[in-house]
Amino acid sequence: MNFDLDTEHLDLAAAAREFLSASASPAAARAALDGGAAVRPGREELVKSGFATITWPDSGGSVLHLAVVAEQAGRVLAGPSLVTYARAAVLLDGDEERLAGIADGSLAVAVVDDDGPVLDAAGATTFLALRDGALVCGPGEVTVRAPIDATRGLGDVALGETTVLVPDAAARWRRADRVGRTILAAEGLGAAACLLDMGVAYAGQRQAFGRAIGSYQAVKHMLVDVYVEVEQLRSLVWWAAWAADHAPGELPLAAAAAKAAAATTLEHAAETAIQVHGGAGFTWEHDAHLYWRRAKVDRFLLGDDTAAFDEVARLAMGAAS
Amino acid sequence: MNFDLDTEHLDLAAAAREFLSASASPAAARAALDGGAAVRPGREELVKSGFATITWPDSGGSVLHLAVVAEQAGRVLAGPSLVTYARAAVLLDGDEERLAGIADGSLAVAVVDDDGPVLDAAGATTFLALRDGALVCGPGEVTVRAPIDATRGLGDVALGETTVLVPDAAARWRRADRVGRTILAAEGLGAAACLLDMGVAYAGQRQAFGRAIGSYQAVKHMLVDVYVEVEQLRSLVWWAAWAADHAPGELPLAAAAAKAAAATTLEHAAETAIQVHGGAGFTWEHDAHLYWRRAKVDRFLLGDDTAAFDEVARLAMGAAS
Amino acid sequence: MDFDDTPDEAAWRTRVRAFLEQSRPDPDDPRGWQAALYEAGFVGVAWPVEAGGRGGTLMQQAIVDQEMARLGLPALINLIGIGMCGPTVIMHGSADQKSRYLQRLLRADDLWCQLFSEPEAGSDLAALRTRAVREPGGGWRITGQKVWTTLAHLADYGILLTRTDPGVPKHRGLTMFVVDMSAPGVTVRPLRQMNGDAHFNEVFFDDVAIPDSERLGEPGDGWRVALTTLMSERLSLGGGGTGIGPKPEAVARHVAAHLGALSADRQALARQQLGRGYVAALGARYTGYRQLSRISRGELPGPEASAGKLSGTRSARDLTDLAVRVLGEDARVAGDIWQNAQAVLPGMAIAGGSDQVLRNIIGERVLGLPAEPRADKGVTFRESIG
Amino acid sequence: MDFDDTPDEAAWRTRVRAFLEQSRPDPDDPRGWQAALYEAGFVGVAWPVEAGGRGGTLMQQAIVDQEMARLGLPALINLIGIGMCGPTVIMHGSADQKSRYLQRLLRADDLWCQLFSEPEAGSDLAALRTRAVREPGGGWRITGQKVWTTLAHLADYGILLTRTDPGVPKHRGLTMFVVDMSAPGVTVRPLRQMNGDAHFNEVFFDDVAIPDSERLGEPGDGWRVALTTLMSERLSLGGGGTGIGPKPEAVARHVAAHLGALSADRQALARQQLGRGYVAALGARYTGYRQLSRISRGELPGPEASAGKLSGTRSARDLTDLAVRVLGEDARVAGDIWQNAQAVLPGMAIAGGSDQVLRNIIGERVLGLPAEPRADKGVTFRESIG
């Protein structure tokens, strides 16, 4: 058994971290929220880096590779989401022209899930959707909505004239959804791990009543509970990504579990980080609320946490009976 | 505003405590569980004391009086439950003969809720039930079931030939149910408060690493959370009892809230007490598990906690719209 | 047991209600609104007459508060002054200070703020660093920074806790002053919270002069003076923290309006979440009534009054979360009042005593559990900051 | 990344499986079952050859454990001996002790127990009071009481932690022995747990003689010896606490069987509770695989291995609660396996390190948060007990 990242993955993580932390940051997320500054790194830089298209046919990358990158993207609240690229790769599998268009930056896509605001709709010109069981593609009118987390680029999409790309695409759509949930969970993992680091660092340094607040059980145990959740989320993300690459039969359960765990873990990590930071933690200038905003949005993306828990239960009971 | 017990209630509580702690105890509950010893104080002593029939027409007592007694009964895990008497008083209102029979010990009643095991079925000879909207009364065959908490006397009841006592009794039945939930919550309050006392006493005295374990935040804060819940449960029990006596319009919400809060608070108090007591807390000889057993049974009596929360929500939304 | 007013209370309530029902406060003139209420006798009800108050009872004050809330009237602008600063001046001020400040405070001629917390002194307030240095002439010079100061941008005066002697243990080297917020060297900077609003301020003191006559209490006695302030805060809060977060009735109304759009499964889940939050909110509300009953009998609220805040932050969080969830697809974007409410709540668990500090207080002072050994005991402030 | 065996591991698994699949253990002869496994080479796999073991890897041992669990075969009777007592003798025993004890232990000729906890020394193990007094002839006399001793009623030997010097700080005055459980003065009394079963024992020592040759490690060095034992416990647990409580698959099967009897609302609630518990259980399981991967690479599990126990006690509680709830009306009475499972769980949060102690360990040793000041530091044991 070797359920751990290999050297290759660790090198990839380091490279992604270097690129992403130079091009995105909580400060950029704040600027996007505050004055409508562009989301960073943005589509252009992201595809240029090659990280977004790592699961493209010729890139030789796996979903696990993309998950490793996505964790780093989550740490710095990068946008647009790698979820969008992960889903596009599955949906457009075989459509070399469009995949090349995304990779060279000429095609800006978003994936339309339901009637609600769409992830990465801001700046997208081409939309992929499931209509009557067919994968369709077309332009759309985007109304960007007032953001909770501006890096998610959510907007309402009114689809224009669409073309059918794949007539019988339900299975493909479901796989894209599950790979997307896996990558969403990986971004959540990065954000949660970053919040934990922030909390631990502050608790180790901030003094109250003559000692570091992290020495008090109330603070220490709060952080430990987050640590346990973050590590278990990490395990679920790896499992889901591995299943996407190697065990399609395990993907439905693994992806739903990862999605659900990411939603609750990130929310818990964000609320704990704010609490540990005391007064400073709920100021605009502190980074904590930017991650908290991410948590409040992400839990509702690609189906909400309630739907994911429900799916886990149905799959578990189905497998058991 | 005088939302507090009066001297009269406090005197009653003291008298009830004296009687009940002399006649019942966790040790008696353990003996009942272990070797099938009789439940204490038992029907005979309980009616002789007058406390059980305090809401009888001529006793001049209110539901609040009975709630005050019930709290003390809960503290020592007394049986049978005062819930049975509280409901009988409402159901048999006007039926002087039967009420007198219960009061002089010649009639041993239980109230049948649904198809499941019935509270205080053990030793009962006469059963009250709602059949097609009518209050009926009759003998029954009791099969006592293996107890979780032996003091609850749960058994399956096969009703024999019944007589209709009140033809159109739905409203009366509902009121009896709500008064019963109030008294059940009062017993739960007593049990939870006793568990809190046990936990606080132990945490103040037990030493680890050179100081009392109650000085550690992990233990202290656990107990504080229980304290807050217990005091809020107390407020809800008083409110529900007061509403039963003076504000029937508030009783449905108050009784459902008290029932729900009692279920969760008692369970939380029991689990915390066991945790605080460490190894000693999960031994047979320690009293904690007897209260824990009470918690595990009571949450399912007179409708479970889930049903009570659902009812609170429906009533709240009904009142709001 | 009853929820009724005593005859005296009922008479008072009638009088209050009659006045309030015909009042039409101008939203652009909060000072005028408070002044009008003061002239009518409904501000500082429980303050002594010689302090400009009415010499009434805490219950009478609570009735005024209840009636104002019931009618949805705007809160008093000088809330901090009335609840915290004024009582401190009453207890520790000189006759001169009392005559200059108290009536004007009640009438909102002057607005007040409370300058205690600092970036490095939150839960551990006594660790504050703002220095007051005595001048040869007897006056004082203040340098330092305060934070989380409500109303500082409008306030005329503030009560200011400073360190005058770093050479003694931290609780013993503090001194309290009244500071003129328009004095040279005082800078107020609004502080944005995570929801984007700026309810609080940072206040900087750069060599600000305060005459010795503006001292409150003896030099070195500032901690005892500050405890009066904090005790008064508890008194003025009343109701056991039931004011935290949205009213449960408002959430129930909102959920009821959106319930029909949800699937049957989601409706069942929403009812569970609403029921749990609602029961907790009712528990806190009726526990607040027990505290009010004690006040009605003339007793003072004890440390157990903080219990409502502990459960209140929790139930407010759960109820607000539900309110957001029932928005469905719109829950992903901002623009709804519940989204904003959600972003206020994390601060609630910290402001006015963090959950952790409140649990310590209740554990030790209500349950009688032993305190933790104090690492900073007997150490001088100077040593403690290394 | 893969979940596959290495070629060596796969070959080993094939061999193990072939043997286990044809084995037919007699439930009335647990010693015989262990002996048969030992003769086949599947007990003490990772123990050194000179200790009677096979000189194999921890991963090989883990594969044996996995295959036994997969086939539902009975656990080894001498689990405590193999996991905790034996490794302690290997590390600290004399050549004579090793030759007398180790192989017999692996073969279940002798059963062993571990005598550490006392009524007054649980989480704070080093506060133990059982006294060992040196006799003029060099032997020792033991008086005191141990508790929570698994298997003491069957054990032939035990490793016994005693206090030999109350005049030094508590960690320094301890000494470890091997005790013959049939020695005069040893009394074993079963201890019933809250579910009515008696898995543990109290053990009383009334002036029990132990020769000095049965000492494990130097006098006063008992704490260091005990740490070896506790470290071995962590090693032998593996899998990150996923063994706590019922298997999530079993709960899912049970819930699925009862779901049809519930209302649609209750079904939705049940699925939420199952989903939450199941996700937590999967999270713990796959985190356990990460630890196993480390073992497979030859690394030792660190303090983070305790994380699974923290979440495991929680998810086991929630899943078992659901399993009871779906019984409907029958949930009010006993007689179902889930009712019994429920009554075992409160002990799980305490046994093998309370949740509070584990959180301290992870907080300090994994997250690097500062330790609390120790009230008992440098105080002699005699002083500490007043």
Side-chain angles (χ1 to χ4, degrees):
Chain A
M1 175 169 304
N2 175 29
F3 186 47
D4 211 341
L5 297 185
D6 302 330
T7 318
E8 178 201 348
H9 302 123
L10 296 174
D11 292 346
L12 175 65
R17 187 167 196 153
E18 191 176 353
F19 162 69
L20 288 161
S21 60
S23 59
S25 65
R30 186 186 294 105
L33 187 67
D34 225 345
V39 167
R40 306 273 293 127
R43 284 174 203 265
E44 200 176 332
E45 267 201 66
L46 201 52
V47 293
K48 211 187 297 170
S49 75
F51 289 119
T53 54
I54 206 167
T55 56
W56 260 231
D58 297 333
S59 305
S62 64
V63 175
L64 179 59
H65 286 102
L66 189 60
V68 163
V69 175
E71 180 184 346
Q72 300 305 322
R75 287 193 73 93
V76 292
L77 301 175
S81 175
L82 293 168
V83 170
T84 297
Y85 297 93
R87 295 175 83 184
V90 176
L91 293 174
L92 298 174
D93 186 27
D95 186 339
E96 286 175 29
E97 196 185 315
R98 285 194 177 79
L99 286 177
I102 297 175
D104 70 19
S106 60
L107 206 62
V109 293
V111 182
V112 179
D113 276 301
D114 51 31
D115 292 337
V118 170
L119 174 65
D120 294 330
T125 50
T126 302
F127 299 88
L128 300 170
L130 190 71
R131 291 288 180 267
D132 303 321
L135 175 67
V136 302
C137 176
E141 188 102 10
V142 175
T143 316
V144 174
R145 300 280 293 270
I148 296 171
D149 168 8
T151 65
R152 285 318 197 186
L154 290 164
D156 291 327
V157 176
L159 272 188
E161 194 78 28
T162 59
T163 325
V164 171
L165 298 187
V166 182
D168 192 9
R172 183 186 283 240
W173 185 269
R174 272 199 304 275
R175 175 171 166 84
D177 181 59
R178 285 168 179 150
V179 172
R181 282 175 150 197
T182 302
I183 299 305
L184 183 71
E187 291 186 342
L189 166 65
C194 183
L195 284 160
L196 176 62
D197 291 349
M198 280 167 42
V200 168
Y202 187 78
Q205 156 258 311
R206 171 80 179 184
Q207 301 281 314
F209 307 107
R211 50 184 168 114
I213 61 171
S215 69
Y216 293 98
Q217 289 188 342
V219 173
K220 182 179 292 174
H221 293 186
M222 267 198 294
L223 290 166
V224 167
D225 288 347
V226 172
Y227 161 79
V228 172
E229 280 185 44
V230 166
E231 285 309 308
Q232 296 193 346
L233 171 58
R234 184 183 305 281
S235 307
L236 292 174
V237 166
W238 288 358
W239 175 38
W242 173 86
D245 293 328
H246 300 290
E250 295 181 33
L251 180 59
L253 180 62
K259 154 72 201 178
T264 52
T265 300
L266 180 51
E267 211 174 346
H268 182 204
E271 289 175 354
T272 301
I274 293 174
Q275 183 73 16
V276 166
H277 278 83
F282 64 98
T283 60
W284 187 262
E285 296 309 321
H286 198 281
D287 292 342
H289 77 96
L290 298 159
Y291 290 85
W292 179 91
R293 290 167 177 278
R294 173 63 68 92
K296 292 295 175 185
V297 173
D298 274 16
R299 61 190 183 145
F300 295 138
L301 297 181
L302 284 83
D304 68 1
D305 44 355
T306 307
F309 283 123
D310 194 87
E311 190 177 340
V312 167
R314 288 180 191 271
L315 290 168
M317 288 190 292
S321 62
Chain B
M1 176 171 302
N2 174 29
F3 185 49
D4 211 341
L5 297 184
D6 302 330
T7 318
E8 179 200 347
H9 301 123
L10 297 175
D11 292 347
L12 175 64
R17 186 166 195 151
E18 191 176 354
F19 162 68
L20 288 161
S21 60
S23 59
S25 65
R30 185 185 293 104
L33 186 66
D34 225 346
V39 168
R40 304 277 291 134
R43 284 172 202 267
E44 200 176 333
E45 267 200 67
L46 200 53
V47 293
K48 211 190 292 172
S49 75
F51 288 120
T53 55
I54 206 167
T55 57
W56 260 231
D58 296 334
S59 306
S62 64
V63 174
L64 180 58
H65 285 101
L66 189 59
V68 163
V69 174
E71 181 185 345
Q72 300 306 323
R75 287 192 75 92
V76 292
L77 301 176
S81 174
L82 292 168
V83 170
T84 296
Y85 296 92
R87 296 174 84 184
V90 175
L91 293 174
L92 298 173
D93 185 27
D95 188 339
E96 286 174 28
E97 196 184 314
R98 284 193 178 79
L99 286 177
I102 297 174
D104 69 21
S106 60
L107 208 60
V109 293
V111 181
V112 179
D113 276 302
D114 50 30
D115 293 336
V118 170
L119 175 65
D120 294 330
T125 50
T126 303
F127 298 87
L128 300 171
L130 190 72
R131 290 290 179 267
D132 304 320
L135 174 68
V136 303
C137 175
E141 189 100 11
V142 175
T143 316
V144 174
R145 300 278 292 268
I148 296 171
D149 168 7
T151 66
R152 285 319 198 187
L154 289 164
D156 291 326
V157 175
L159 271 188
E161 194 78 27
T162 59
T163 326
V164 171
L165 297 187
V166 182
D168 191 10
R172 182 185 284 239
W173 184 269
R174 273 198 305 274
R175 178 173 165 82
D177 182 58
R178 285 167 178 150
V179 172
R181 283 175 150 198
T182 303
I183 299 305
L184 183 70
E187 291 186 340
L189 167 65
C194 183
L195 284 159
L196 176 62
D197 291 349
M198 278 167 45
V200 168
Y202 188 78
Q205 155 257 310
R206 170 81 178 184
Q207 302 281 313
F209 306 107
R211 51 185 169 113
I213 61 170
S215 69
Y216 293 97
Q217 289 188 343
V219 173
K220 184 180 290 175
H221 293 186
M222 267 200 295
L223 289 166
V224 167
D225 288 347
V226 172
Y227 161 80
V228 171
E229 281 185 43
V230 165
E231 285 310 308
Q232 296 193 345
L233 171 59
R234 184 183 305 282
S235 307
L236 292 174
V237 166
W238 289 358
W239 174 38
W242 173 86
D245 293 328
H246 299 290
E250 295 181 34
L251 180 59
L253 180 60
K259 153 74 200 177
T264 52
T265 301
L266 180 52
E267 212 174 345
H268 182 202
E271 288 174 354
T272 302
I274 292 173
Q275 184 73 15
V276 167
H277 278 81
F282 65 97
T283 60
W284 187 262
E285 295 310 321
H286 199 281
D287 291 343
H289 77 97
L290 298 158
Y291 291 84
W292 179 91
R293 290 168 177 279
R294 173 63 68 94
K296 292 296 176 187
V297 174
D298 274 17
R299 62 188 183 147
F300 294 138
L301 297 180
L302 283 83
D304 68 2
D305 44 356
T306 307
F309 282 122
D310 193 86
E311 189 176 341
V312 167
R314 288 179 190 272
L315 291 166
M317 288 191 290
S321 61
Chain C
M1 180 182 293
D2 61 66
F3 290 88
D4 304 332
D5 289 332
T6 65
D8 281 356
E9 289 166 3
W12 174 254
R13 191 182 298 274
T14 305
R15 212 181 114 192
V16 171
R17 191 174 292 182
F19 176 83
L20 293 178
E21 276 174 349
Q22 53 75 32
S23 66
R24 298 282 174 276
D26 173 1
D28 293 331
D29 182 18
R31 292 195 191 219
W33 167 232
Q34 181 174 330
L37 283 171
Y38 177 71
E39 298 307 337
F42 301 138
V43 178
V45 175
W47 283 26
V49 176
E50 56 277 20
R54 311 288 302 185
T57 65
L58 285 172
M59 193 62 197
Q60 287 178 325
Q61 182 64 62
I63 287 170
V64 173
D65 298 344
Q66 284 173 356
E67 291 298 316
M68 284 181 61
R70 198 179 60 82
L71 293 167
L73 292 168
L76 299 185
I77 175 81
N78 217 0
L79 210 61
I80 305 284
I82 298 168
M84 304 177 75
C85 307
T88 310
V89 174
I90 292 173
M91 283 291 281
H92 302 283
S94 66
D96 174 53
Q97 286 172 321
K98 290 182 193 176
S99 72
R100 278 190 288 128
Y101 291 134
L102 292 173
Q103 195 176 26
R104 290 181 56 83
L105 183 159
L106 289 177
R107 215 162 44 203
D109 296 336
D110 302 325
L111 300 186
W112 286 63
C113 64
Q114 184 239 52
L115 299 145
F116 285 16
S117 295
E118 298 185 4
E120 300 290 324
S123 293
D124 184 8
L125 177 60
L128 62 85
R129 295 168 181 221
T130 294
R131 282 285 275 134
V133 178
R134 194 145 208 169
E135 300 214 283
W140 302 78
R141 288 282 176 174
I142 318 290
T143 299
Q145 182 194 348
K146 297 289 176 177
V147 77
W148 310 121
T149 317
T150 307
L151 220 69
H153 59 300
L154 298 176
D156 303 287
Y157 296 97
I159 57 173
L160 172 65
L161 192 57
T162 66
R163 180 164 311 281
T164 43
D165 185 354
V168 295
K170 62 183 179 183
H171 291 89
R172 285 198 248 130
L174 305 177
T175 305
M176 187 81 81
F177 296 95
V178 175
V179 62
D180 180 343
M181 294 295 285
S182 64
V186 178
T187 311
V188 176
R189 202 158 68 186
L191 193 61
R192 276 174 91 188
Q193 295 159 252
M194 57 184 273
N195 72 337
D197 291 351
H199 280 308
F200 299 110
N201 299 277
E202 296 177 290
V203 183
F204 298 86
F205 295 89
D206 180 12
D207 203 30
V208 175
I210 300 187
D212 193 50
S213 58
E214 293 304 343
R215 187 164 35 75
L216 277 175
E218 294 306 307
D221 209 22
W223 185 248
R224 205 171 59 85
V225 177
L227 288 182
T228 319
T229 316
L230 298 174
M231 193 91 75
S232 307
E233 180 182 26
R234 187 196 294 156
L235 257 172
S236 73
L237 285 179
T242 49
I244 294 168
K247 275 202 185 312
E249 286 83 356
V251 177
R253 205 175 306 123
H254 168 76
V255 172
H258 286 76
L259 206 67
L262 305 182
S263 71
D265 280 3
R266 295 297 179 116
Q267 293 189 16
L269 296 173
R271 284 197 306 272
Q272 280 299 301
Q273 195 173 349
L274 177 60
R276 284 175 188 273
Y278 211 87
V279 167
L282 288 174
R285 178 179 297 171
Y286 281 86
T287 304
Y289 291 157
R290 285 165 60 197
Q291 284 155 18
L292 214 52
S293 302
R294 244 165 282 155
I295 291 175
S296 170
R297 288 198 302 267
E299 297 169 25
L300 294 183
E304 73 283 355
S306 307
K309 176 158 189 279
L310 280 180
S311 74
T313 52
R314 190 47 171 282
S315 63
R317 188 214 170 279
D318 291 346
L319 286 171
T320 309
D321 181 67
L322 172 64
V324 169
R325 282 180 181 273
V326 297
L327 297 174
E329 288 156 356
D330 288 341
R332 299 172 208 164
V333 287
D336 193 280
I337 55 160
W338 300 104
Q339 300 283 15
N340 188 54
Q342 184 169 241
V344 172
L345 290 171
M348 296 282 185
I350 296 162
S354 74
D355 285 0
Q356 288 71 37
V357 167
L358 293 180
R359 286 196 179 92
N360 278 348
I361 291 173
I362 294 177
E364 288 159 26
R365 305 207 16 224
V366 180
L367 298 183
L369 291 168
E372 284 191 284
R374 283 286 291 266
D376 54 355
K377 208 170 171 178
V379 177
T380 69
F381 178 73
R382 196 177 283 125
E383 289 162 350
S384 76
I385 58 171
Chain D
M1 180 181 293
D2 61 66
F3 289 89
D4 304 332
D5 289 332
T6 64
D8 281 356
E9 288 165 4
W12 174 254
R13 191 183 297 276
T14 305
R15 207 179 118 194
V16 171
R17 191 175 291 181
F19 177 84
L20 292 178
E21 277 174 348
Q22 52 76 32
S23 66
R24 298 281 173 276
D26 172 0
D28 293 331
D29 182 18
R31 292 194 191 220
W33 168 231
Q34 182 175 329
L37 283 171
Y38 177 71
E39 297 306 339
F42 301 139
V43 178
V45 176
W47 284 27
V49 176
E50 56 277 20
R54 310 289 301 188
T57 66
L58 284 171
M59 194 62 200
Q60 288 178 324
Q61 180 66 63
I63 287 171
V64 173
D65 297 345
Q66 284 173 357
E67 291 298 316
M68 283 181 64
R70 198 179 61 81
L71 293 169
L73 292 168
L76 299 185
I77 175 82
N78 218 0
L79 211 60
I80 306 283
I82 297 168
M84 305 178 75
C85 307
T88 309
V89 172
I90 292 173
M91 284 289 281
H92 301 283
S94 64
D96 174 53
Q97 286 172 321
K98 291 182 194 178
S99 72
R100 278 188 289 126
Y101 292 133
L102 292 173
Q103 193 177 27
R104 291 182 56 83
L105 183 158
L106 289 177
R107 212 162 46 203
D109 296 336
D110 302 325
L111 301 186
W112 285 65
C113 64
Q114 181 239 53
L115 299 146
F116 284 15
S117 295
E118 297 186 4
E120 300 291 323
S123 292
D124 184 7
L125 176 60
L128 61 86
R129 295 168 182 223
T130 294
R131 282 286 272 135
V133 178
R134 194 147 206 165
E135 300 212 283
W140 302 79
R141 287 282 176 174
I142 318 290
T143 301
Q145 182 193 347
K146 296 290 176 177
V147 77
W148 311 121
T149 317
T150 307
L151 219 70
H153 59 301
L154 297 178
D156 303 287
Y157 295 97
I159 57 173
L160 172 65
L161 192 58
T162 67
R163 183 165 306 283
T164 42
D165 185 355
V168 296
K170 63 183 179 183
H171 291 88
R172 286 199 247 131
L174 305 177
T175 303
M176 187 81 81
F177 294 95
V178 175
V179 61
D180 181 343
M181 294 295 285
S182 65
V186 179
T187 311
V188 177
R189 203 157 67 185
L191 194 60
R192 276 172 91 188
Q193 293 160 256
M194 57 185 272
N195 74 337
D197 292 351
H199 280 309
F200 300 109
N201 299 276
E202 297 177 291
V203 182
F204 299 86
F205 295 89
D206 182 13
D207 203 30
V208 175
I210 300 188
D212 193 49
S213 58
E214 293 304 343
R215 186 162 38 74
L216 277 175
E218 293 306 307
D221 210 22
W223 186 247
R224 206 171 59 86
V225 178
L227 287 182
T228 317
T229 315
L230 299 174
M231 193 92 75
S232 308
E233 180 180 26
R234 188 195 292 154
L235 257 174
S236 73
L237 286 179
T242 49
I244 294 167
K247 274 203 185 311
E249 286 84 356
V251 176
R253 205 173 307 123
H254 167 75
V255 172
H258 285 76
L259 206 68
L262 305 181
S263 72
D265 280 4
R266 295 299 179 115
Q267 293 188 16
L269 295 173
R271 284 196 307 270
Q272 280 299 300
Q273 193 172 349
L274 176 60
R276 284 175 187 273
Y278 211 87
V279 167
L282 288 174
R285 177 178 298 170
Y286 282 85
T287 304
Y289 292 155
R290 286 165 60 199
Q291 285 155 18
L292 215 50
S293 302
R294 244 164 283 155
I295 291 175
S296 170
R297 287 199 302 268
E299 297 170 25
L300 293 183
E304 74 283 355
S306 307
K309 177 160 188 274
L310 280 179
S311 75
T313 52
R314 191 44 167 286
S315 64
R317 186 212 170 280
D318 292 346
L319 286 171
T320 309
D321 181 67
L322 172 64
V324 169
R325 283 180 181 273
V326 298
L327 297 175
E329 290 156 355
D330 288 341
R332 299 172 206 164
V333 287
D336 194 280
I337 55 158
W338 299 102
Q339 299 285 13
N340 188 55
Q342 183 169 242
V344 172
L345 289 171
M348 296 281 183
I350 296 163
S354 75
D355 285 359
Q356 288 71 38
V357 167
L358 293 181
R359 285 196 179 92
N360 279 348
I361 290 174
I362 294 177
E364 289 159 28
R365 303 203 22 220
V366 181
L367 298 184
L369 290 168
E372 285 192 285
R374 283 286 293 265
D376 52 356
K377 208 170 169 174
V379 177
T380 69
F381 179 73
R382 197 178 280 126
E383 287 162 353
S384 75
I385 59 170

